[in-house]
Amino acid sequence: MDAVQEQQLRKLVTVFLEENAKVNLSAFRTQEGCWIGNVLDSTAAVELFESFRIPNFEFRILDIGTGGGFPLLPLAICLPEAHLTGMDSTQKKIDAVNRIKDSLGLKNVNLICGRVEVIGHAKQYRETFDVVTARAVAEINVLLEYASPFVKVGGKIILWKSMNAEKEVSGSKKAQDALRCPFKESHIYDLPGDFGKRQLLIFEKKSPLSGTYPRAVGVPKKNPLK
Ligand code: SAM
């Protein structure tokens, strides 16, 4: 991140903490905790975007279950020419993120309120994103069903996970096959202090997805592919 981006990210922390005092968005309630646990954790993905070799200005990124706007808002600051969409089923969170986005003057973010299982069937969003991100939303086999309908063939899914995700990855083999999104690689990064090592898991969409997916609201979580 450059100096201007760092300044904007610091401002994000201040504005976010003000919103977090009114609407419960995140467990991080201090400047330091929010800076490391939300902002640096989100920006860990920025260098990956360069390796995807899609020109920055063409990127369409969707963050599902964006909650209070992470990783959505830090990515929007660090990738100013990309177009970012945040999606969440909770209206009050979407309203809060809209206010944060407006007070930061971010022009490259738009927000949608709804369930991914419903919006994943809408023609205007289906298989139209280069990258779909998700942090702290669900297990991998559920997340692949949430994310795959939105990703273009050749696009990527990036999931934020702890270092103990081995079982989750192996347990998602059936979902990877059915949803045409095999596991590609893991990107390990280090956060300061007690936060320690974490990883981004990257899946790549290999071919168009059957209209069967996503299944009806609640089904992916209640009856995950496995
Ligand atoms: N990604 C944010 C973060 O890391 O701080 C928020 C994580 S929060 C624990 C999970 C969010 O996912 C919640 O805001 C919830 O409303 C949203 N969510 C869960 N299932 C969803 C679904 N099926 N469709 C849309 N949003 C969903």
Side-chain angles (χ1 to χ4, degrees):
M1 78 187 76
D2 63 28
V4 175
Q5 287 167 351
E6 177 164 355
Q7 208 177 13
Q8 256 203 316
L9 291 167
R10 294 276 179 197
K11 186 173 173 198
L12 166 62
V13 170
T14 303
V15 178
F16 175 81
L17 289 175
E18 283 164 15
E19 278 296 335
N20 202 27
K22 295 182 260 171
V23 185
N24 190 14
L25 299 170
S26 158
F28 294 115
R29 297 190 176 275
T30 63
Q31 290 271 343
E32 176 80 352
C34 186
W35 175 253
I36 302 173
N38 281 335
V39 173
L40 296 186
D41 195 42
S42 298
T43 58
V46 171
E47 65 187 275
L48 284 179
F49 285 82
E50 286 152 23
S51 71
F52 295 159
R53 292 174 208 280
I54 301 169
N56 189 10
F57 57 85
E58 283 178 10
F59 260 129
R60 279 173 51 83
I61 301 167
L62 172 70
D63 185 33
I64 60 179
T66 195
F70 297 100
L72 177 77
L73 297 171
L75 291 181
I77 291 169
C78 293
L79 301 168
E81 292 177 68
H83 306 279
L84 289 98
T85 301
M87 200 175 280
D88 202 283
S89 54
T90 306
Q91 187 69 55
K92 69 176 173 83
K93 294 186 180 179
I94 291 292
D95 293 344
V97 178
N98 254 320
R99 288 192 294 271
I100 298 169
K101 168 203 121 167
D102 288 345
S103 70
L104 292 169
L106 293 175
K107 304 277 184 241
N108 58 342
V109 177
N110 76 299
L111 291 145
I112 302 171
C113 186
R115 297 281 307 208
V116 291
E117 300 95 314
V118 176
I119 304 170
H121 286 284
K123 202 166 172 246
Q124 72 192 107
Y125 299 114
R126 199 164 170 97
E127 301 189 324
T128 57
F129 291 91
D130 298 293
V131 176
V132 176
T133 58
R135 189 184 82 148
V137 178
E139 294 222 328
I140 295 168
N141 43 12
V142 179
L143 280 174
L144 292 178
E145 186 163 354
Y146 286 173
S148 177
F150 295 103
V151 192
K152 285 178 187 171
V153 172
K156 313 280 193 293
I157 297 169
I158 307 178
L159 306 181
W160 272 246
K161 289 283 167 186
S162 73
M163 294 304 290
N164 309 317
E166 229 168 83
K167 256 197 185 156
E168 250 190 85
V169 175
S170 56
S172 70
K173 195 74 190 72
K174 185 161 175 214
Q176 293 178 41
D177 291 345
L179 300 161
R180 310 279 181 257
C181 290
F183 174 62
K184 191 166 184 273
E185 61 193 332
S186 145
H187 173 77
I188 295 171
Y189 59 100
D190 237 325
L191 291 178
D194 293 342
F195 285 85
K197 274 194 180 18
R198 296 168 178 219
Q199 59 181 335
L200 299 169
L201 301 179
I202 301 141
F203 298 80
E204 185 168 297
K205 177 90 166 263
K206 289 294 187 191
S207 55
L209 182 63
S210 149
T212 318
Y213 301 110
R215 291 169 293 163
V217 169
V219 177
K221 194 160 187 185
K222 207 169 154 194
N223 185 18
L225 295 165
K226 58 180 163 194

